[in-house]
Amino acid sequence: MRSVSFSAVNAGVVAMAVSYAGPLALVLAAADKAGLSAAQRSSWVWAISIGAGLTCVGLSWWTRTPVITAFSTPGAAILVTALAQHDYADAVGAFLCAGVAATALTATGVLARVLARIPEGVVSAMLAGILFSFGTAIFTSLRSAPLLAGTMVAGYLLAKRLWPTYAVMCALGVGLAVAAADGGLGLHLRGPGLAVPHLTVPHFSAGALLGIGVPLLVATLAGQYAPGMAVLRADGYRPDERLVCATTGAVSTLLAPFGSHAVNPAAITAAICTGPEAHRDPARRWVAGVSCGIGYLVVGCFGSTLVALFTGLPKPLVATLAGVALLGALSGSLARTVADERHREASVITFLATASGVTVAGIGSPFWGLLAGVVAHILLKSRRDQPAGALGEDRHLEAAGGAERRGQLADHPADGAGGDAEPPGDRLVGQPLHE
């Protein structure tokens, strides 16, 4: 009990609230476009909440480290466009396969070697292409609901300057206030309702595996797993990466038939709980992880209430909220897309193909964008490998800048966390309890 402190508990609650403030709108937008029933929506919210809660509590307690997990935001963004193109049972099959693949890749240590073969700019470009439509939706909402969207954007920007951690929550609060004053809130709650898990028997199809499973796997591994672990390392923690990542992958797999698309280590919410604001003593910040996980579990039990709340919100409010919540992710992804001149052309091709929204043979644009970028990278690689004095000097300079680019790894496409600096050895904390 001596490890429990108000600051650590509060940090966990704030991290949980931030996790729901914007990303949940993406989940419900995807469910809406796919025409899912109320039971399926409620089960989806229940599955991702319970998954994040169990992993937060279990991993934080076991490792004595503030391990913060969340549901995949870039994965939810992919599903907004991809889920409507496939039967829901096929999508659940893709979730299941992506979870199995994530577990295998992280548990065996293959993840780092696989990601090393795909340029960071290409993966970031795929994510930027997915998020592009969410950014433009802000201005579409400004046209259809100028007062609502305008005040939300203004509230977000003001809070971003003064209280950046709470910027998305402030945008939501301003939007709710304006919508309520304008009579645009259609909330009809009969009281809190417990969520009931809804089992969907997975069905496997090549179209869903390529159109949903592959982009979901790549975006989650590259955009969530690596940055999430980088945030922990930046604050001096050294948990077993295979344990943390494989556990979240296994939980995602088990909950996939109930709607969980992906549960993974978080970055920005992790930064809320791993810094000195949570507790001055790094060895006592693990309480924030447990607090965050308990919050997930409580909220997940009332998933049907959350669905009712969000489905009663005006569409411009939800669109603007999702857009401002992903501004940091979009800007970070665009920056990494063009950061490395060696892979810039391939990355731009990936971005354009993904942002086009093209669908071929029932397979969505994220897969085709990634495929186009990888092919372009392979075809252009021979040109970069040509030996020359000047080119050799450029490669030396680029190698010297590689550490700086790797330092941006934790600028997570969905979370926007801080860099991956190597801490001094005397700050290592959070050894597994069983040791």
Side-chain angles (χ1 to χ4, degrees):
M1 291 300 292
R2 291 186 305 170
S3 296
V4 179
S5 69
F6 174 78
S7 60
V9 173
N10 181 66
V13 173
V14 170
M16 180 271 299
V18 171
S19 296
Y20 283 112
L24 185 62
L26 300 178
V27 171
L28 296 180
D32 183 60
K33 288 197 173 185
L36 301 187
S37 66
Q40 290 171 324
R41 298 183 188 197
S42 176
S43 181
W44 191 350
V45 175
W46 174 86
I48 57 179
S49 301
I50 297 301
L54 291 176
T55 50
C56 261
V57 173
L59 290 171
S60 295
W61 179 82
W62 180 256
T63 64
R64 288 299 193 265
T65 300
V67 178
I68 308 301
T69 60
F71 53 92
S72 174
T73 302
I78 290 173
L79 297 176
V80 171
T81 55
L83 193 60
Q85 301 169 5
H86 302 279
D87 184 77
Y88 185 58
D90 293 341
V92 169
F95 297 168
L96 189 62
C97 290
V100 171
T103 305
L105 290 173
T106 53
T108 58
V110 177
L111 172 61
R113 295 193 293 272
V114 172
L115 293 180
R117 295 183 177 274
I118 303 177
E120 181 186 359
V122 170
V123 177
S124 297
M126 181 193 73
L127 185 59
I130 294 167
L131 301 179
F132 181 73
S133 61
F134 293 97
T136 58
I138 296 176
F139 300 94
T140 304
S141 301
L142 282 170
R143 183 181 59 185
S144 60
L147 177 61
L148 176 61
T151 53
M152 289 182 67
V153 173
Y156 170 81
L157 294 176
L158 181 61
K160 189 71 174 179
R161 178 177 179 178
L162 301 176
W163 313 288
T165 299
Y166 309 98
V168 176
M169 297 176 67
C170 288
L172 174 58
V174 170
L176 291 173
V178 173
D182 194 43
L185 287 180
L187 305 180
H188 303 287
L189 299 179
R190 299 179 179 177
L194 291 175
V196 178
H198 180 84
L199 176 66
T200 298
V201 178
H203 185 267
F204 303 97
S205 70
L209 291 176
L210 293 177
I212 295 178
V214 172
L216 176 63
L217 176 65
V218 173
T220 301
L221 291 180
Q224 299 262 190
Y225 278 78
M229 299 310 299
V231 169
L232 286 171
R233 292 196 301 271
D235 278 300
Y237 296 97
R238 288 293 185 274
D240 186 341
E241 294 191 15
R242 294 189 182 186
L243 171 67
V244 172
C245 296
T247 299
T248 55
V251 171
S252 296
T253 303
L254 293 174
L255 293 174
F258 300 99
S260 173
H261 60 286
V263 174
N264 47 252
I268 191 171
T269 45
I272 296 172
C273 298
T274 59
E277 295 81 7
H279 200 285
R280 288 179 297 177
D281 183 1
R284 297 172 65 181
R285 295 174 193 163
W286 64 272
V287 175
V290 174
S291 171
C292 180
I294 293 174
Y296 278 134
L297 294 174
V298 172
V299 173
C301 291
F302 298 95
S304 57
T305 303
L306 280 179
V307 171
L309 281 171
F310 272 85
T311 53
L313 299 177
K315 290 185 178 180
L317 188 154
V318 176
T320 305
L321 179 65
V324 297
L326 293 172
L327 274 179
L330 177 57
S331 60
S333 298
L334 287 173
R336 284 185 293 274
T337 295
V338 298
D340 192 340
E341 187 176 355
R342 298 172 302 171
H343 307 131
R344 187 172 296 167
E345 290 176 273
S347 300
V348 170
I349 289 173
T350 303
F351 171 75
L352 293 174
T354 305
S356 69
V358 64
T359 299
V360 179
I363 301 172
S365 62
F367 172 79
W368 297 116
L370 181 63
L371 179 62
V374 171
V375 171
H377 166 65
I378 294 173
L379 294 178
L380 295 172
K381 184 178 180 181
S382 59
R383 184 182 68 182
R384 296 193 304 271
D385 290 342
Q386 291 178 353
L391 182 60
E393 293 174 3
D394 289 344
R395 286 200 302 268
H396 178 72
L397 293 175
E398 287 164 354
E404 181 178 350
R405 283 192 297 273
R406 287 192 298 271
Q408 298 170 357
L409 177 64
D411 289 336
H412 173 274
D415 289 339
D420 182 15
E422 208 44 53
D426 59 354
R427 293 187 60 205
L428 301 185
V429 295
Q431 296 300 322
L433 183 63
H434 66 276
E435 295 182 359

